[in-house]
Amino acid sequence: MSRQPKLSVHDLFKEYDGAPVLERVNIDVTEGAFCTIVGASGCGKSTFLRMLLSQEQPSRGEILLDGAPLPEEPTPDRGIVFQRYSVFPHLTVWQNLILAKEFEQAPLTGRLFGSARKKARDEIGDLLERIGLTPATDRYPAQLSGGMQQRLAIAQALVKRPKILLLDEPFGALDPGIRLDMHELLLGLWRELSMTIFMVTHDINEAFKLGTRLLVFDKVRHDPQAPEAYGATITYDLPVDKTARQKKELAETLLHDRPDSA
Amino acid sequence: MSRQPKLSVHDLFKEYDGAPVLERVNIDVTEGAFCTIVGASGCGKSTFLRMLLSQEQPSRGEILLDGAPLPEEPTPDRGIVFQRYSVFPHLTVWQNLILAKEFEQAPLTGRLFGSARKKARDEIGDLLERIGLTPATDRYPAQLSGGMQQRLAIAQALVKRPKILLLDEPFGALDPGIRLDMHELLLGLWRELSMTIFMVTHDINEAFKLGTRLLVFDKVRHDPQAPEAYGATITYDLPVDKTARQKKELAETLLHDRPDSA
Amino acid sequence: MKLINRKPSRRLTIFLGLLPFAALLATYLIASDMRLAVNPSDKLLPSFQTMADTMSRMAFEPDKRNGDYLLWTDTAASLYRLFAGLAISAVLALVIGLAMGVLPVARAFFAQFTAAFSLIPPITVLPILFITLGLGEAAKIGLIIVGTTPAMIRTLAQSALDIPRELVIKAETLGASSWQITTRLYLPHILPNLVVALRLGLVPAWIFLISAEAIASTEGLGYRIFLVRRYMAMDLILPYVAWITLLAFVLDRLLLILSKRAFSWNHLEGDSL
Amino acid sequence: MKLINRKPSRRLTIFLGLLPFAALLATYLIASDMRLAVNPSDKLLPSFQTMADTMSRMAFEPDKRNGDYLLWTDTAASLYRLFAGLAISAVLALVIGLAMGVLPVARAFFAQFTAAFSLIPPITVLPILFITLGLGEAAKIGLIIVGTTPAMIRTLAQSALDIPRELVIKAETLGASSWQITTRLYLPHILPNLVVALRLGLVPAWIFLISAEAIASTEGLGYRIFLVRRYMAMDLILPYVAWITLLAFVLDRLLLILSKRAFSWNHLEGDSL
Amino acid sequence: EVKTDFKVCWSIYAGWMPWGYLQDSGIMKKWADKYGINVEVVQLNDYIESINQYTAGEFDGCAMTNMDALSIPAAGGVDTSVLIAGDYSNGNDGLILKEGGDLASVKGQNVNLVELSVSHYFLARALETVGLSEKDITVVNTSDADMVSVYGTPEITAVATWNPMLSEILANQKGELVFDSSKIPGEIIDAMMINTETLKDNPALGKALVGAWFETLSLMASDTPEAMAALESMAAASGTDLAGYKAQLAATALFHTPEKLLEFTTDPKLKQTMKFVAEFLYDHGILGEGAPSPEFVGVEFPDGSVYGDKNNVKLRFDNSFVEMAAKGAL
Ligand SMILES: Nc1ncnc2c1ncn2[C@@H]1O[C@H](COP(=O)(O)OP(=O)(O)OP(=O)(O)O)[C@@H](O)[C@H]1O
Ligand SMILES: Nc1ncnc2c1ncn2[C@@H]1O[C@H](COP(=O)(O)OP(=O)(O)OP(=O)(O)O)[C@@H](O)[C@H]1O
Ligand SMILES: [Mg+2]
Ligand SMILES: [Mg+2]
């Protein structure tokens, strides 16, 4: 690793109301890495992503982006899909998707009109198709199912083509078929743009399939009397190798033909 | 099937603003069945559960519970865990859990005091432990992680021991370890109380492991010009047999030892 | 079925909705009859006949002094002031409320002051207001503005603060500038609340308008009420009050409809009053 | 850093917060000095010295007529009326607002009527109020109630309607009766809004109190202001207005603190004004 | 300062309705044009507010009573001239006891009135006539606009008020008039007050106002259809009908000619009246807490004599313009 890491985290601590959530987190991530994060529910994965996004500040320690301290506020080079997927409730599906382009092209009004608007709408036609929301183009988020909202949130983050993408259980509410489509979409963009991705997931399959690096968050110290006394940290940091991939593919094949065989 | 079905759905249609979501859904479910529901995102699974709960009324068709039309309003014999897990934001974790008991034991105040309250709190101690929220007993939902809120929602529904339990992707935000614990918990109660369960899931593994019956929702008719023209229905209705279980277990074993082996 | 789920039919809803009005009318009729039986020239609760006569005179007979049809000139004058006042209030409240909600610096600057300022009962500082704004239309409109804006600012600023933090962060990651976040996220979210604030501001606006008209004016609904108050001409006051209430009610409903049309996304869930 | 994220430091916040007050004071000082230079006994904008003298007389010297320390007797009388009025309003608004929010039947019954009733400017129907309630404390408290309750009812009913439907359904599946849903779900959710409504109701409450005290009274802050308006004693009016504002401000802050204490769950996210 | 645009204000009261009429009918404009100035006669509904606005300098003149002129503008350092002492209350103010009886029976009762107004002064004078003082009763401040309606409540046993409320109460409700201002004639004077400095610098303003006023009054006194129309219009403007307005006028001693007015203002009794008023105001702390004595503010009379502090003359009865009118020199 002679290259400067894209992102490095030094001795990060985070506590809420005095209760530590994360402690002594250290990690260097090179550009283009796809880090999947797994860990027990409530151990601080989302908190970690929130700090990478600058939504929250660490209690101690520092995060460096390209060698410089992380900006103190969210910036367009870091995209996010929240765990409780949130899209803009006052915009319809396609309006949600062209928003990033509007911000970019119309600094003053933040809004495209006429042919520019039509062009932007046409440009997202393909994306809409790939996330399966073409029939819902003109609906408001409140009129979508959970999975549809989640797909919209993912697409919205991808549209901006961020350098760093933070995904918090992005595929949790999707059925396997659509999930595969979304994997394709994500991997395609990842390769194309050499994004650096952090993705929290509870699906170990997915973690192995997508990631180049697997981070496991867990508590190293545990006081049975005071279960809250210690925070979690990165306990395993595994490069995902061939064998594991092959194993996973085997597992997948087995799983895949089951519904039909039954 | 000589017994009267616990729940039967006859020729159910549901449309929103003229767009059909579900059409011609027919199914009889006997008491104690564990129906897992899978289907593409946005095909109407949540809508189906909402109708079983009487949260929404079918556009056409009828639902019979024990041979009689479904009550027009939600009743305590049908429990629910919503897809966007919602618990009462103004109550702490343990207050959320004893609420059902309070409703039952204090018709007037809806609130337990003194020793009765203490007793109720002690009684949920075990449950809290099993869902892993003991350290968070006194926190408000806004202070919990996504997975913790989801576990709380599940436990809250189970506390009431409903005859029919409706679960909409209940384990989506949980890590595999905790998910297994929750499976145990759910299966234990299911056997003990002979509940009838409908569970939407996107994890085919889970569907096979837990269910006695697998319902697949899908569209049978499809008009490529107007993808919204037709609704979904139950396309497969499979009893889950031994072989499938065994396959699943094999797959699980393979998946399970991977993180450690890597 | 539980009470909370028992929805009355459309017909029953209308019937129930009319009941309290009917009860009020009936109470009035009985009380009025009783008083008139004792004293036929009682002025407090005149009969409907008397009120109708008075109103038809106000509406359809030219005034002896200047030949105007008073009801209509009063209404026009008052509505003009009301609209002008509310429009300026709305703009001010939107700008300042938005600034306070969006910019921490603006919040630091305005928060304490608007909180304190909004608590000054404007009628106590009328002389200063009149001297600052003169005695013309400006003062009347000004009193409405002074009276309604601070509360509207606070409501709007709070509603901006209530926007989920996630949405703001999302917009930032999509490359929005502060200005764009303001116009494309905060603004659309607080516009429905502006309508709510306007609806809630209707009553204070009328009250201040009437107070202002009572002090310096030669026409307007409040002026007329004030003018005949010394004679206790309830046969004119009561219908005028009913008329004001009706006007306000129509405005209120129009604003609700406007909100449902313009901000349909905000009305997808739940009922509105 | 974007403007929306630029949080001023604690010190700067305090400084910025004081700025507009300082500006107001400075404006007053200059205007007052200018007027006093022209006419040393100008009554409109008295000097701070004069106001301080007057207030210290009101506060610390017994009145010639009845030996009372007027500032304190006035304050006590007004605060008593204000509290009594607001307390009754709060209870009424809570009961009716809750009923309207929870029960469709109650909503059908009350919705139109409260909408219309809330739009009647109460000061126009004062005579009826006085005849019904007499001229004593009851009428003054009554005016506050009539003036503030309808808006509070609407706010509370709307906030009850805004509770996510999922939560109600959840409670039903947990076996709650209508009554239990009301007390354990709706009530805790609208109590914070009651505090908000009370805070927003402070201003109209003061206004109506002052109006009532102006009509028939022998003590009270509003009485005093209207009395000395007779000889344009701004040296008493202005400090009295400031005092009223200060009292209201303290009440407002106390209510906010109460809300944060009692409904901490409601303040976990976002800021409050 | 010499200027051409002037604003004077008035509020609704029987004796001041001509001000509204002379503005509406163009009489004012005629006279203002004659002297090459513009005068706007503005109606304010709130009497106190109109005085406050005048005192604050928003108007060049204002219609008010002698008592309020002394207590508000004069005590507030605004040198004020009585340009036209148009009338005095001759029954327009009265004391009503609900249960009747004589004036002395008011003892121990609550009396509702506009505190510190001429009603208050009137009451004090009334009590003096039967050897009572304010200590023998309790004064309850009550707004004039609501006097009629609150009279109906059982709490009220006595009110001191003026027209039209007075006649309104007597006409429709139980009660007996036990004292009225016709028993203290000439003490409650309703006048057009002008800022002395403005008047000195701009005599044209005084001439125009006086000219317009007496033209209007002579019109009213004439028995012509125009007079009836004028009275009708004034009645409408004051919110009543012709009969009602005439009844109010009957209790108002309007001076229809300059001569009558001069007679009144040169009567030595005026000095006595102003002394009463100043003492009343001083007793009630209205002259300002800094006032060392009732004589704190000086009042100058047409003959040049001064009541009170000669170095602080702030209220002046100025007959010069009315004299011009009497001489036909306008
Ligand atoms: N309130 C509504 N108004 C209009 N359309 C709606 C509404 N609610 C749901 N729909 C539509 O109904 C369809 C089914 O929604 P539903 O939530 O039942 O899907 P689902 O099967 O649960 O999907 P997921 O797996 O993504 O949760 C969707 O196409 C959705 O857009
Ligand atoms: N605002 C807050 N106040 C107090 N505690 C908080 C707050 N937010 C999070 N926590 C606590 O921090 C811990 C970590 O939360 P986080 O959301 O990061 O977990 P997670 O790893 O994402 O879990 P999950 O897989 O369930 O989403 C939890 O124990 C939670 O209770
Ligand atoms: Mg999380
Ligand atoms: Mg769903």
Side-chain angles (χ1 to χ4, degrees), chain A residues 185-212:
Chain A
L185 181 67
L186 182 62
L187 286 175
L189 278 171
W190 171 58
R191 284 190 203 105
E192 188 185 320
L193 307 170
S194 72
M195 285 192 283
T196 311
I197 299 184
F198 291 82
M199 180 177 97
V200 175
T201 178
H202 288 312
D203 185 337
I204 215 88
N205 253 345
E206 204 171 70
F208 275 88
K209 176 183 168 196
L210 299 176
T212 59

mmCIF file of all heavy atoms in Angstrom, chain A residues 185-212:
data_model
loop_
_atom_site.group_PDB
_atom_site.id
_atom_site.type_symbol
_atom_site.label_atom_id
_atom_site.label_comp_id
_atom_site.label_asym_id
_atom_site.label_seq_id
_atom_site.Cartn_x
_atom_site.Cartn_y
_atom_site.Cartn_z
ATOM 1 N N LEU A 185 -26.375 -3.256 -10.894
ATOM 2 C CA LEU A 185 -26.329 -1.815 -11.068
ATOM 3 C C LEU A 185 -25.194 -1.223 -10.253
ATOM 4 O O LEU A 185 -24.357 -0.458 -10.737
ATOM 5 C CB LEU A 185 -27.674 -1.242 -10.605
ATOM 6 C CG LEU A 185 -27.875 0.254 -10.711
ATOM 7 C CD1 LEU A 185 -27.917 0.665 -12.175
ATOM 8 C CD2 LEU A 185 -29.171 0.668 -10.014
ATOM 9 N N LEU A 186 -25.136 -1.620 -8.988
ATOM 10 C CA LEU A 186 -24.136 -1.077 -8.082
ATOM 11 C C LEU A 186 -22.728 -1.467 -8.527
ATOM 12 O O LEU A 186 -21.837 -0.611 -8.624
ATOM 13 C CB LEU A 186 -24.422 -1.580 -6.670
ATOM 14 C CG LEU A 186 -23.493 -1.073 -5.578
ATOM 15 C CD1 LEU A 186 -23.616 0.442 -5.465
ATOM 16 C CD2 LEU A 186 -23.830 -1.726 -4.244
ATOM 17 N N LEU A 187 -22.544 -2.746 -8.824
ATOM 18 C CA LEU A 187 -21.211 -3.200 -9.205
ATOM 19 C C LEU A 187 -20.750 -2.534 -10.489
ATOM 20 O O LEU A 187 -19.593 -2.137 -10.627
ATOM 21 C CB LEU A 187 -21.204 -4.726 -9.361
ATOM 22 C CG LEU A 187 -21.250 -5.513 -8.040
ATOM 23 C CD1 LEU A 187 -21.368 -7.006 -8.301
ATOM 24 C CD2 LEU A 187 -20.018 -5.219 -7.197
ATOM 25 N N GLY A 188 -21.688 -2.394 -11.434
ATOM 26 C CA GLY A 188 -21.363 -1.725 -12.700
ATOM 27 C C GLY A 188 -20.815 -0.329 -12.437
ATOM 28 O O GLY A 188 -19.728 0.032 -12.893
ATOM 29 N N LEU A 189 -21.554 0.439 -11.659
ATOM 30 C CA LEU A 189 -21.133 1.813 -11.384
ATOM 31 C C LEU A 189 -19.837 1.838 -10.589
ATOM 32 O O LEU A 189 -18.985 2.705 -10.778
ATOM 33 C CB LEU A 189 -22.231 2.543 -10.612
ATOM 34 C CG LEU A 189 -23.350 3.096 -11.473
ATOM 35 C CD1 LEU A 189 -24.488 3.598 -10.614
ATOM 36 C CD2 LEU A 189 -22.814 4.224 -12.344
ATOM 37 N N TRP A 190 -19.704 0.907 -9.692
ATOM 38 C CA TRP A 190 -18.506 0.856 -8.855
ATOM 39 C C TRP A 190 -17.269 0.678 -9.718
ATOM 40 O O TRP A 190 -16.287 1.408 -9.584
ATOM 41 C CB TRP A 190 -18.651 -0.294 -7.851
ATOM 42 C CG TRP A 190 -17.414 -0.597 -7.063
ATOM 43 C CD1 TRP A 190 -16.724 0.265 -6.264
ATOM 44 C CD2 TRP A 190 -16.722 -1.843 -7.008
ATOM 45 N NE1 TRP A 190 -15.660 -0.358 -5.696
ATOM 46 C CE2 TRP A 190 -15.633 -1.671 -6.126
ATOM 47 C CE3 TRP A 190 -16.938 -3.106 -7.593
ATOM 48 C CZ2 TRP A 190 -14.755 -2.705 -5.842
ATOM 49 C CZ3 TRP A 190 -16.062 -4.119 -7.286
ATOM 50 C CH2 TRP A 190 -14.975 -3.919 -6.423
ATOM 51 N N ARG A 191 -17.365 -0.273 -10.639
ATOM 52 C CA ARG A 191 -16.215 -0.516 -11.504
ATOM 53 C C ARG A 191 -15.952 0.687 -12.391
ATOM 54 O O ARG A 191 -14.827 1.160 -12.533
ATOM 55 C CB ARG A 191 -16.476 -1.753 -12.376
ATOM 56 C CG ARG A 191 -16.310 -3.030 -11.579
ATOM 57 C CD ARG A 191 -16.326 -4.277 -12.432
ATOM 58 N NE ARG A 191 -16.713 -5.420 -11.633
ATOM 59 C CZ ARG A 191 -17.903 -6.004 -11.676
ATOM 60 N NH1 ARG A 191 -18.832 -5.570 -12.524
ATOM 61 N NH2 ARG A 191 -18.176 -7.024 -10.897
ATOM 62 N N GLU A 192 -17.021 1.187 -12.957
ATOM 63 C CA GLU A 192 -16.911 2.285 -13.908
ATOM 64 C C GLU A 192 -16.288 3.535 -13.263
ATOM 65 O O GLU A 192 -15.436 4.186 -13.839
ATOM 66 C CB GLU A 192 -18.323 2.606 -14.401
ATOM 67 C CG GLU A 192 -18.416 3.594 -15.534
ATOM 68 C CD GLU A 192 -19.889 3.901 -15.810
ATOM 69 O OE1 GLU A 192 -20.727 2.947 -15.754
ATOM 70 O OE2 GLU A 192 -20.220 5.067 -16.029
ATOM 71 N N LEU A 193 -16.747 3.861 -12.048
ATOM 72 C CA LEU A 193 -16.335 5.119 -11.427
ATOM 73 C C LEU A 193 -15.255 4.939 -10.382
ATOM 74 O O LEU A 193 -14.827 5.888 -9.755
ATOM 75 C CB LEU A 193 -17.544 5.785 -10.762
ATOM 76 C CG LEU A 193 -18.765 5.993 -11.646
ATOM 77 C CD1 LEU A 193 -19.942 6.420 -10.799
ATOM 78 C CD2 LEU A 193 -18.463 7.063 -12.695
ATOM 79 N N SER A 194 -14.831 3.702 -10.171
ATOM 80 C CA SER A 194 -13.906 3.370 -9.087
ATOM 81 C C SER A 194 -14.275 4.099 -7.792
ATOM 82 O O SER A 194 -13.504 4.828 -7.197
ATOM 83 C CB SER A 194 -12.445 3.636 -9.480
ATOM 84 O OG SER A 194 -12.199 5.003 -9.537
ATOM 85 N N MET A 195 -15.553 3.951 -7.421
ATOM 86 C CA MET A 195 -16.035 4.491 -6.156
ATOM 87 C C MET A 195 -15.426 3.717 -4.999
ATOM 88 O O MET A 195 -15.047 2.552 -5.136
ATOM 89 C CB MET A 195 -17.556 4.311 -6.067
ATOM 90 C CG MET A 195 -18.354 5.249 -6.917
ATOM 91 S SD MET A 195 -20.095 5.187 -6.474
ATOM 92 C CE MET A 195 -20.590 3.666 -7.263
ATOM 93 N N THR A 196 -15.379 4.359 -3.847
ATOM 94 C CA THR A 196 -15.052 3.650 -2.621
ATOM 95 C C THR A 196 -16.373 3.459 -1.874
ATOM 96 O O THR A 196 -17.107 4.429 -1.650
ATOM 97 C CB THR A 196 -14.092 4.481 -1.767
ATOM 98 O OG1 THR A 196 -13.026 4.917 -2.604
ATOM 99 C CG2 THR A 196 -13.579 3.676 -0.587
ATOM 100 N N ILE A 197 -16.678 2.217 -1.543
ATOM 101 C CA ILE A 197 -18.012 1.949 -0.997
ATOM 102 C C ILE A 197 -17.910 1.356 0.401
ATOM 103 O O ILE A 197 -17.065 0.492 0.667
ATOM 104 C CB ILE A 197 -18.794 0.989 -1.921
ATOM 105 C CG1 ILE A 197 -18.975 1.636 -3.301
ATOM 106 C CG2 ILE A 197 -20.129 0.606 -1.306
ATOM 107 C CD1 ILE A 197 -19.817 0.821 -4.258
ATOM 108 N N PHE A 198 -18.759 1.854 1.299
ATOM 109 C CA PHE A 198 -18.967 1.207 2.588
ATOM 110 C C PHE A 198 -20.407 0.740 2.637
ATOM 111 O O PHE A 198 -21.318 1.555 2.496
ATOM 112 C CB PHE A 198 -18.722 2.183 3.740
ATOM 113 C CG PHE A 198 -17.294 2.570 3.896
ATOM 114 C CD1 PHE A 198 -16.734 3.571 3.118
ATOM 115 C CD2 PHE A 198 -16.499 1.912 4.832
ATOM 116 C CE1 PHE A 198 -15.413 3.915 3.261
ATOM 117 C CE2 PHE A 198 -15.171 2.271 4.988
ATOM 118 C CZ PHE A 198 -14.624 3.272 4.197
ATOM 119 N N MET A 199 -20.607 -0.551 2.843
ATOM 120 C CA MET A 199 -21.974 -1.036 2.840
ATOM 121 C C MET A 199 -22.225 -1.886 4.076
ATOM 122 O O MET A 199 -21.560 -2.895 4.294
ATOM 123 C CB MET A 199 -22.247 -1.845 1.582
ATOM 124 C CG MET A 199 -23.660 -2.387 1.530
ATOM 125 S SD MET A 199 -23.985 -3.264 0.000
ATOM 126 C CE MET A 199 -23.694 -4.927 0.538
ATOM 127 N N VAL A 200 -23.200 -1.476 4.867
ATOM 128 C CA VAL A 200 -23.616 -2.302 6.006
ATOM 129 C C VAL A 200 -24.622 -3.309 5.503
ATOM 130 O O VAL A 200 -25.532 -2.967 4.740
ATOM 131 C CB VAL A 200 -24.270 -1.433 7.096
ATOM 132 C CG1 VAL A 200 -24.807 -2.319 8.204
ATOM 133 C CG2 VAL A 200 -23.288 -0.421 7.634
ATOM 134 N N THR A 201 -24.479 -4.538 5.885
ATOM 135 C CA THR A 201 -25.466 -5.540 5.473
ATOM 136 C C THR A 201 -25.574 -6.603 6.547
ATOM 137 O O THR A 201 -24.655 -6.780 7.357
ATOM 138 C CB THR A 201 -25.081 -6.188 4.128
ATOM 139 O OG1 THR A 201 -26.053 -7.184 3.816
ATOM 140 C CG2 THR A 201 -23.720 -6.850 4.211
ATOM 141 N N HIS A 202 -26.679 -7.268 6.593
ATOM 142 C CA HIS A 202 -26.814 -8.403 7.498
ATOM 143 C C HIS A 202 -26.792 -9.708 6.728
ATOM 144 O O HIS A 202 -26.901 -10.777 7.294
ATOM 145 C CB HIS A 202 -28.104 -8.293 8.305
ATOM 146 C CG HIS A 202 -28.028 -7.228 9.337
ATOM 147 N ND1 HIS A 202 -26.969 -7.116 10.189
ATOM 148 C CD2 HIS A 202 -28.868 -6.220 9.651
ATOM 149 C CE1 HIS A 202 -27.151 -6.082 10.990
ATOM 150 N NE2 HIS A 202 -28.292 -5.510 10.673
ATOM 151 N N ASP A 203 -26.653 -9.594 5.413
ATOM 152 C CA ASP A 203 -26.678 -10.777 4.575
ATOM 153 C C ASP A 203 -25.239 -11.148 4.251
ATOM 154 O O ASP A 203 -24.571 -10.508 3.445
ATOM 155 C CB ASP A 203 -27.472 -10.460 3.306
ATOM 156 C CG ASP A 203 -27.654 -11.687 2.444
ATOM 157 O OD1 ASP A 203 -26.842 -12.634 2.577
ATOM 158 O OD2 ASP A 203 -28.592 -11.699 1.647
ATOM 159 N N ILE A 204 -24.781 -12.192 4.881
ATOM 160 C CA ILE A 204 -23.377 -12.562 4.777
ATOM 161 C C ILE A 204 -23.035 -12.939 3.334
ATOM 162 O O ILE A 204 -21.952 -12.662 2.836
ATOM 163 C CB ILE A 204 -23.090 -13.694 5.788
ATOM 164 C CG1 ILE A 204 -21.698 -13.530 6.346
ATOM 165 C CG2 ILE A 204 -23.353 -15.053 5.212
ATOM 166 C CD1 ILE A 204 -21.699 -12.649 7.555
ATOM 167 N N ASN A 205 -24.010 -13.534 2.665
ATOM 168 C CA ASN A 205 -23.918 -13.822 1.238
ATOM 169 C C ASN A 205 -23.543 -12.598 0.445
ATOM 170 O O ASN A 205 -22.599 -12.602 -0.340
ATOM 171 C CB ASN A 205 -25.330 -14.190 0.744
ATOM 172 C CG ASN A 205 -25.435 -15.663 0.477
ATOM 173 O OD1 ASN A 205 -24.421 -16.351 0.380
ATOM 174 N ND2 ASN A 205 -26.646 -16.147 0.374
ATOM 175 N N GLU A 206 -24.337 -11.590 0.655
ATOM 176 C CA GLU A 206 -24.176 -10.346 -0.055
ATOM 177 C C GLU A 206 -22.811 -9.734 0.251
ATOM 178 O O GLU A 206 -22.113 -9.248 -0.635
ATOM 179 C CB GLU A 206 -25.279 -9.407 0.430
ATOM 180 C CG GLU A 206 -25.650 -8.331 -0.519
ATOM 181 C CD GLU A 206 -26.898 -7.625 -0.017
ATOM 182 O OE1 GLU A 206 -26.808 -6.916 1.011
ATOM 183 O OE2 GLU A 206 -27.959 -7.805 -0.624
ATOM 184 N N ALA A 207 -22.453 -9.788 1.529
ATOM 185 C CA ALA A 207 -21.185 -9.215 1.961
ATOM 186 C C ALA A 207 -20.043 -9.855 1.180
ATOM 187 O O ALA A 207 -19.119 -9.178 0.734
ATOM 188 C CB ALA A 207 -21.001 -9.416 3.455
ATOM 189 N N PHE A 208 -20.142 -11.164 1.002
ATOM 190 C CA PHE A 208 -19.063 -11.849 0.286
ATOM 191 C C PHE A 208 -19.134 -11.610 -1.197
ATOM 192 O O PHE A 208 -18.124 -11.467 -1.869
ATOM 193 C CB PHE A 208 -19.116 -13.343 0.584
ATOM 194 C CG PHE A 208 -18.392 -13.687 1.837
ATOM 195 C CD1 PHE A 208 -19.028 -13.662 3.069
ATOM 196 C CD2 PHE A 208 -17.040 -14.016 1.792
ATOM 197 C CE1 PHE A 208 -18.349 -13.963 4.219
ATOM 198 C CE2 PHE A 208 -16.357 -14.320 2.957
ATOM 199 C CZ PHE A 208 -17.013 -14.294 4.169
ATOM 200 N N LYS A 209 -20.350 -11.563 -1.704
ATOM 201 C CA LYS A 209 -20.482 -11.412 -3.149
ATOM 202 C C LYS A 209 -19.976 -10.058 -3.615
ATOM 203 O O LYS A 209 -19.245 -9.970 -4.587
ATOM 204 C CB LYS A 209 -21.946 -11.575 -3.545
ATOM 205 C CG LYS A 209 -22.174 -11.325 -5.026
ATOM 206 C CD LYS A 209 -23.631 -11.425 -5.400
ATOM 207 C CE LYS A 209 -23.855 -10.887 -6.806
ATOM 208 N NZ LYS A 209 -25.263 -10.621 -7.072
ATOM 209 N N LEU A 210 -20.352 -9.019 -2.886
ATOM 210 C CA LEU A 210 -20.068 -7.674 -3.371
ATOM 211 C C LEU A 210 -18.717 -7.143 -2.912
ATOM 212 O O LEU A 210 -18.036 -6.448 -3.658
ATOM 213 C CB LEU A 210 -21.163 -6.709 -2.924
ATOM 214 C CG LEU A 210 -22.573 -7.021 -3.420
ATOM 215 C CD1 LEU A 210 -23.567 -6.041 -2.824
ATOM 216 C CD2 LEU A 210 -22.624 -6.942 -4.949
ATOM 217 N N GLY A 211 -18.363 -7.436 -1.685
ATOM 218 C CA GLY A 211 -17.233 -6.743 -1.099
ATOM 219 C C GLY A 211 -15.883 -7.227 -1.577
ATOM 220 O O GLY A 211 -15.729 -8.354 -2.030
ATOM 221 N N THR A 212 -14.893 -6.310 -1.446
ATOM 222 C CA THR A 212 -13.508 -6.711 -1.618
ATOM 223 C C THR A 212 -12.862 -6.818 -0.246
ATOM 224 O O THR A 212 -11.734 -7.254 -0.106
ATOM 225 C CB THR A 212 -12.719 -5.679 -2.433
ATOM 226 O OG1 THR A 212 -12.775 -4.431 -1.751
ATOM 227 C CG2 THR A 212 -13.286 -5.554 -3.817
#
